[in-house]
Amino acid sequence: MKTDKLYNDPELAQFYDLENEWSPACAFLLKLADDARSVLDIGCGTGLLAARIAMDGTKRVVGADPAQPMLDIAKQREGGDQVTWVLSDAATLDLNEKFDLIVLSGHAFQVFLTAEEQLALLKTIERHLEEGGQFIFDSRNPKIKEWQEWNPQESGRTIEHPEFGAISSWNDYSFAPQAMIVEYGTYYEVIADGRVYSSKSRIAFPAQEQIAALVAQTKLHVNHWFGDWQGNPYHEDAVEIIPFGSLKAEL
């Protein structure tokens, strides 16, 4: 799995929280964690969700991410001292521990570009899930073709950086339809002096049927397919593909 500069370069990681604030997904997952004694947040990024879950002090929370600059930010946020942070790729993570709840949010599933990588990730979830525990992750529905909005005109926005001031940001993309992989660029221009920070990233857009076929190769079982973070069922025109499930019962 190729390292993504967007998350592994500290100069780019500093912009992450400016564009990724508390969301309906975070609220849904925080509530889901209420009854869990232990939570594993795979691909935790800068730790916004993991730290919030840990702040009540009643559960063990582990956040795992392959990008050290993201974890450096996570450790400094409120509640970060109550989380165990692990530097690891999700596909090879092996903590020799099981959890009541495993989450993979922020469309982190899509950074795994091949069926082999995606299955390895699902095996990681299977390996770390407690009997009777639950897992949940999200992926964008390829039928919506959200990437078509990732052009400089539609994606242009202005964000405020605490040190640099106003930042002009935008994206561009290219699409490989046979592989269902999108390469997109992310750009941040400091308006005051014209400095530009940029990266190129690649993500996959597997269909719901493909994800279901991969899950079927594991001991995981999807109890519900959600189509959004309000808990509505998945359908063809849903924005999200959100499998929510557990381990299959032993025979």
Side-chain angles (χ1 to χ4, degrees):
M1 183 174 160
K2 188 177 178 182
T3 298
D4 194 324
K5 180 183 176 185
L6 185 61
Y7 310 114
N8 286 275
D9 185 339
E11 290 192 331
L12 285 160
Q14 67 177 314
F15 295 104
Y16 185 85
D17 281 349
L18 302 180
E19 297 209 88
N20 294 275
E21 300 176 335
W22 194 256
S23 66
C26 292
F28 185 103
L29 295 171
L30 180 63
K31 184 172 179 56
L32 188 62
D34 278 349
D35 297 327
R37 296 164 299 174
S38 57
V39 180
L40 173 59
D41 185 353
I42 299 177
C44 65
T46 60
L48 178 64
L49 175 63
R52 183 71 69 88
I53 291 173
M55 283 175 64
D56 70 1
T58 65
K59 47 184 66 70
R60 171 163 169 74
V61 181
V62 175
D65 199 274
Q68 186 64 58
M70 304 292 274
L71 292 180
D72 290 341
I73 295 171
K75 292 173 183 177
Q76 300 304 313
R77 70 166 63 256
E78 184 181 5
D81 59 343
Q82 299 181 61
V83 178
T84 299
W85 304 107
V86 177
L87 179 66
S88 177
D89 175 83
T92 58
L93 179 68
D94 194 350
L95 299 174
N96 194 29
E97 183 179 358
K98 295 185 183 295
F99 297 83
D100 294 331
L101 175 64
I102 298 178
V103 304
L104 180 80
S105 60
H107 306 114
F109 183 81
Q110 293 180 250
V111 306
F112 298 90
L113 301 181
T114 67
E116 291 76 17
E117 291 179 348
Q118 293 158 6
L119 182 58
L121 165 65
L122 294 175
K123 289 288 188 179
T124 294
I125 295 174
E126 173 191 285
R127 188 167 58 248
H128 290 87
L129 193 58
E130 188 70 71
E131 185 177 350
Q134 297 176 311
F135 73 90
I136 189 167
F137 62 89
D138 59 354
S139 190
R140 298 176 183 87
N141 185 359
K143 295 179 180 178
I144 302 301
K145 300 181 180 179
E146 184 179 326
W147 62 83
Q148 293 181 344
E149 301 174 3
W150 301 349
N151 59 73
Q153 293 72 36
E154 292 183 78
S155 67
R157 66 264 188 203
T158 301
I159 58 179
E160 194 69 24
H161 189 281
E163 179 183 349
F164 302 148
I167 303 289
S168 178
S169 182
W170 67 95
N171 300 98
D172 59 21
Y173 77 93
S174 62
F175 175 51
Q178 288 187 329
M180 290 302 290
I181 289 176
V182 172
E183 180 176 86
Y184 67 95
T186 304
Y187 305 88
Y188 298 103
E189 180 180 7
V190 181
I191 293 177
D193 59 20
R195 278 179 294 165
V196 176
Y197 302 86
S198 66
S199 71
K200 289 285 187 179
S201 306
R202 299 174 75 214
I203 56 174
F205 279 79
Q208 187 267 346
E209 296 83 1
Q210 292 172 294
I211 297 173
L214 288 168
V215 173
Q217 298 179 52
T218 72
K219 296 178 182 178
L220 302 174
H221 175 71
V222 178
N223 301 319
H224 302 284
W225 290 91
F226 296 134
D228 58 39
W229 285 109
Q230 285 70 47
N232 294 307
Y234 171 79
H235 54 87
E236 276 198 359
D237 297 323
V239 175
E240 304 278 358
I241 303 170
I242 306 173
F244 174 44
S246 56
L247 280 176
K248 291 178 182 176
E250 295 289 342
L251 297 178

